[in-house]
Amino acid sequence: MQSIASIKVLTKNKNVLRWVNEVVNMTNPDEIMWIDGSAEQLSMLREEAVESGELLPLNQEKYPRCYYHRTDENDVARMEDKTFICSRTKENAGPNNNWMKPDEAYKLGEEIFTNSMVGRTMYIIPYSMGPVGSPFSKIGFEITDSIYVVLNMNIMTRIGKKAVDVLKDSNDFVRGVHAKCTLDINNRFIFHFPEDNTIWSCNSAYGGNVLLGKKCFALRIASYQGYKEGWMAEHMLILGIENPKGEVKYISAAFPSACGKTNLAMLIPPEGYKTKGYKVWTVGDDIAWLKVGEDGRLWAINPEAGFFGVAPGTSSSSNYNALMSTKKDTIFTNVAINLDDNSVWWEKLDKNPPVNALDWKGNPWNGKTATTKAAHPNSRFTAPAKNCPSISPNWESPSGVPISAIVFGGRRAKTAPLVYESRNWQHGVFVGSTLASETTAAAAGKVGVIRRDPMAMLPFCGYNMGDYFGHWLEMGEKTSNPPKIFHVNWFRTDNDGNFLWPGYGDNFRILDWIIKRCEEEVEAVESPIGYLPKAKDINLDGLEMTEEKLNSLLHIDKDLWMEDTKNIEEFYSKFGDRLPKQLKDELNLLKNNLK
Ligand code: GTP
Ligand code: SPV
Ligand code: MN
């Protein structure tokens, strides 16, 4: 084995070197490479991955520097039953997490990692979550034996020398270890040790399990850091709305996985708005880190540098900006490949499915005769954020952007109306804590089942969710000028299961109402669940939608809501005395209002 002293070590930080040494001794790689982030190093790695077949180069004229990758058939989504929060006590992980004793998890992990990199190369990736040097930002290291991970981390985070330079001698960094091992599903684990700033992931190659800067660090570890340090890490997009006067207001929104964050973050306003001069600016599409600013407002950054977006359903009409983001320097995973011109395809990309293609499993696929899906429903692209035509000029602002409104939303066929507003911060926290949605393909398991997913953080909160609710309430107290909190539902259906609301770009009409409420430009109607819009205040110009249909989208069925309160009560009861009293009060208030 090579000694780490003999290779281009990027740092003298003793804490880093000691930890790297431990991992080297455990995994026993043949070679070690520190990732400095240089263009030469990355292009060498791309070449190597192409040679080994890990990446397939796409049509380089149509898609400059774009590549294709396939993961194992049983390794295509996050696996929540393989994901553990290894806090010292079970109570601190909470009923919202799988828990394993840290000693046990380390022991099991060590058994799996031991000699796992024999015959392989270890890559050590230093990275910054957040703009390098911003007061919001945090440094992590990911050790991995996968070039695919290195190249994706290069898109999703800010990697290389610049990250070690800001860390200097500090011990404040997140230690991530990933080894592909044999991809054995029975030994697949994603262990988080929040008290040790440590993540261990083995036997997977799927993005959400192995790009450790994303859900593992920027949400699970960071949510715990935020709890201790007085800030918030949330599963939220961030967007700016520019009005015709050139003023920009920022909104952050939490929807569960595959419920429309990327789409909303990049939306193009309907024609009538566009011609008046309204614009949407994208700051982030999945994760927000929020802090109280000196002005008493909440400020947010996007800690990521790229989009790991759902491919199916992305088209020039549904999400032009996302599609444009993928035209260069992008890695596609588990979509279909068109052998005629070496391009990619997925369901609803266009109306011309390829006839000579390989599907996401690598089997021949012909769009004329196929009875199976070309792309996996959770197939994804990894695209640099700077490619996005709507990327905000402030997306890398070290001080973040000020948030005017927080929006929660999920997939609810019935019950939740198109939009409503909470009465105050505490009520807003209640609304977020009771967020529910039908499950999607972003996580392994049954699709379409209603589950409660508080703040869209159920799979991502790195500690007891009862304490997390308490933290939200406290953040409101510390924020003298907090954002208003809203709830939306783009997914309400009629009795035949058709969506009642057109969604996508037309969601701007609802964002417009939300901003008008923040600016106190329109009044609202009080209801048992919060403030509802007056139908006349939702701009329907250019839409084929009757006011009657709109009213049915805004209708509150008290019986359904009463049913829902029972489900909330059951969900809340899991948290025992960790559930803040204020939320019980809000639940009682809701029940009374519904009587
Ligand atoms: P993650 O990356 O998993 O966190 O997902 P996301 O929240 O960013 O979801 P995304 O924007 O990728 O959308 C997921 C799916 O929902 C896609 O198939 C979209 O086409 C669909 N979708 C997004 N917005 C809307 C909408 O307003 N209405 C309807 N009906 N579908 C939508
Ligand atoms: C999600 O599932 O919410 C995602 C994709 O954004 S993953 O990185 O797999 O978590
Ligand atoms: Mn997500």
Side-chain angles (χ1 to χ4, degrees):
M1 197 196 74
Q2 211 175 353
S3 98
I4 61 166
S6 70
I7 40 168
K8 231 177 145 192
V9 181
L10 280 182
T11 178
K12 292 198 172 97
N13 183 316
K14 292 209 173 63
N15 306 296
V16 174
L17 294 177
R18 197 179 314 123
W19 165 70
V20 167
N21 236 324
E22 281 165 22
V23 182
V24 168
N25 287 334
M26 175 167 70
T27 55
N28 218 352
D30 278 22
E31 288 189 58
I32 297 167
M33 183 184 285
W34 287 75
I35 300 299
D36 60 18
S38 65
E40 306 81 69
Q41 191 184 45
L42 292 167
S43 77
M44 190 201 77
L45 289 173
R46 273 180 213 112
E47 271 169 38
E48 201 178 318
V50 167
E51 228 163 80
S52 72
E54 193 174 351
L55 291 183
L56 295 173
L58 290 166
N59 184 328
Q60 293 295 303
E61 251 161 60
K62 251 181 151 170
Y63 299 93
R65 298 171 304 281
C66 288
Y67 295 86
Y68 176 84
H69 177 81
R70 228 177 252 132
T71 60
D72 260 25
E73 271 180 49
N74 71 16
D75 192 23
V76 291
R78 284 182 293 103
M79 294 189 82
E80 296 180 1
D81 57 330
K82 309 278 183 190
T83 304
F84 291 79
I85 298 294
C86 309
S87 323
R88 279 182 208 133
T89 67
K90 189 174 194 310
E91 290 67 39
N92 283 351
N96 45 299
N97 282 306
N98 298 312
W99 177 76
M100 204 185 285
K101 247 193 179 138
D103 296 355
E104 263 171 50
Y106 278 128
K107 189 161 162 267
L108 181 55
E110 215 172 303
E111 276 165 26
I112 298 169
F113 277 143
T114 295
N115 291 330
S116 62
M117 295 192 191
V118 170
R120 305 178 60 80
T121 302
M122 166 189 279
Y123 305 96
I124 305 168
I125 318 167
Y127 63 96
S128 173
M129 293 313 287
V132 177
S134 149
F136 282 79
S137 300
K138 296 251 180 201
I139 300 298
F141 281 77
E142 176 163 357
I143 293 181
T144 177
D145 58 356
S146 157
I147 297 183
Y148 172 75
V149 168
V150 176
L151 297 175
N152 273 295
M153 284 293 282
N154 173 51
I155 298 172
M156 296 305 296
T157 75
R158 293 145 174 109
I159 66 166
K161 183 90 177 46
K162 51 191 186 277
V164 276
D165 288 348
V166 292
L167 183 66
K168 300 202 183 79
D169 295 333
S170 167
N171 194 24
D172 183 12
F173 63 94
V174 170
R175 296 143 163 82
V177 186
H178 162 248
K180 276 171 83 171
C181 305
T182 57
L183 299 178
D184 171 12
I185 193 167
N186 296 313
N187 278 307
R188 184 171 299 156
F189 295 102
I190 303 99
F191 291 134
H192 304 72
F193 306 89
E195 288 121 342
D196 303 340
N197 279 339
T198 294
I199 307 156
W200 283 11
S201 167
C202 48
N203 280 301
S204 175
Y206 166 72
N209 299 333
V210 304
L211 307 179
L212 301 184
K214 194 174 176 62
K215 295 313 198 324
C216 300
F217 175 177
L219 287 180
R220 296 195 192 97
I221 299 286
S223 62
Y224 182 68
Q225 293 176 327
Y227 172 57
K228 287 190 307 177
E229 297 167 9
W231 52 281
M232 305 163 95
E234 299 296 333
H235 193 197
M236 288 177 176
L237 69 95
I238 309 165
L239 63 78
I241 293 183
E242 181 172 332
N243 70 15
K245 285 185 260 174
E247 300 160 341
V248 184
K249 306 279 173 203
Y250 295 91
I251 292 180
S252 66
F255 309 156
S257 301
C259 289
K261 287 183 299 302
T262 302
N263 275 271
L264 193 70
M266 298 176 195
L267 77 68
I268 295 174
E271 213 42 57
Y273 281 102
K274 255 196 327 202
T275 48
K276 277 192 202 133
Y278 284 92
K279 264 191 213 128
V280 166
W281 296 109
T282 308
V283 178
D285 81 325
D286 198 48
I287 300 179
W289 285 0
L290 304 111
K291 277 188 180 176
V292 185
E294 276 167 24
D295 58 359
R297 290 191 291 175
L298 268 187
W299 289 69
I301 64 154
N302 167 16
E304 302 191 280
F307 310 126
F308 184 54
V310 178
T314 307
S315 68
S316 58
S317 58
S318 74
N319 194 345
Y320 172 84
N321 288 320
L323 194 65
M324 287 305 117
S325 307
T326 67
K327 292 299 177 192
K328 57 181 185 194
D329 300 297
T330 293
I331 300 174
F332 297 89
T333 303
N334 296 335
V335 299
I337 191 158
N338 182 350
L339 296 174
D340 284 339
D341 63 353
N342 225 11
S343 63
V344 286
W345 196 82
W346 50 76
E347 274 63 30
K348 295 198 184 150
L349 170 63
D350 53 40
K351 296 200 171 102
N352 308 305
V355 293
N356 177 27
L358 295 178
D359 67 9
W360 65 275
K361 295 178 179 174
N363 297 323
W365 191 90
N366 180 340
K368 284 226 165 80
T369 54
T371 52
T372 54
K373 293 221 145 95
H376 186 274
N378 192 43
S379 55
R380 300 221 169 213
F381 52 79
T382 328
K386 62 171 185 279
N387 280 1
C388 183
S390 60
I391 198 74
S392 160
N394 291 327
W395 85 280
E396 297 195 279
S397 162
S399 49
V401 295
I403 300 297
S404 300
I406 290 177
V407 181
F408 295 114
R411 290 177 185 260
R412 295 300 301 266
K414 300 278 173 253
T415 321
L418 180 58
V419 61
Y420 67 102
E421 179 189 334
S422 65
R423 286 179 290 267
N424 51 47
W425 182 268
Q426 176 174 308
H427 179 226
V429 174
F430 171 77
V431 170
S433 77
T434 60
L435 187 60
S437 193
E438 292 151 22
T439 51
T440 64
K446 223 173 156 200
V447 169
V449 185
I450 281 278
R451 77 163 179 184
R452 301 233 91 90
D453 188 352
M455 282 81 175
M457 281 289 278
L458 186 68
F460 307 119
C461 179
Y463 61 107
N464 189 311
M465 213 146 201
D467 297 343
Y468 168 82
F469 296 150
H471 182 48
W472 262 84
L473 292 167
E474 217 165 90
M475 286 298 294
E477 273 160 37
K478 288 203 305 197
T479 314
S480 53
N481 191 3
K484 283 185 187 289
I485 301 180
F486 298 80
H487 186 285
V488 298
N489 177 21
W490 315 139
F491 299 94
R492 197 144 155 168
T493 55
D494 61 19
N495 291 334
D496 301 323
N498 305 307
F499 291 124
L500 284 164
W501 178 248
Y504 300 99
D506 287 309
N507 294 336
F508 190 85
R509 301 170 189 278
I510 306 305
L511 299 184
D512 181 30
W513 181 77
I514 286 173
I515 293 295
K516 286 201 175 104
R517 285 295 295 164
C518 294
E519 303 289 297
E520 295 177 13
E521 283 174 21
V522 290
E523 287 181 346
V525 188
E526 255 183 79
S527 87
I529 65 165
Y531 300 124
L532 288 168
K534 295 185 170 171
K536 70 165 177 57
D537 290 328
I538 304 282
N539 176 359
L540 298 178
D541 288 355
L543 252 196
E544 270 178 48
M545 160 131 354
T546 56
E547 205 161 302
E548 192 189 332
K549 198 165 170 190
L550 181 64
N551 280 326
S552 77
L553 273 159
L554 294 172
H555 176 71
I556 311 260
D557 181 327
K558 285 193 183 178
D559 293 335
L560 281 180
W561 272 87
M562 222 28 170
E563 271 304 303
D564 222 47
T565 60
K566 284 186 205 144
N567 185 267
I568 294 170
E569 198 148 17
E570 202 181 301
F571 180 71
Y572 270 2
S573 71
K574 292 185 191 174
F575 299 98
D577 59 7
R578 298 259 185 154
L579 185 82
K581 180 180 173 295
Q582 294 96 312
L583 297 187
K584 280 180 230 165
D585 294 345
E586 289 292 339
L587 178 58
N588 286 332
L589 182 63
L590 174 62
K591 282 200 255 177
N592 275 329
N593 288 350
L594 288 167
K595 269 181 201 151

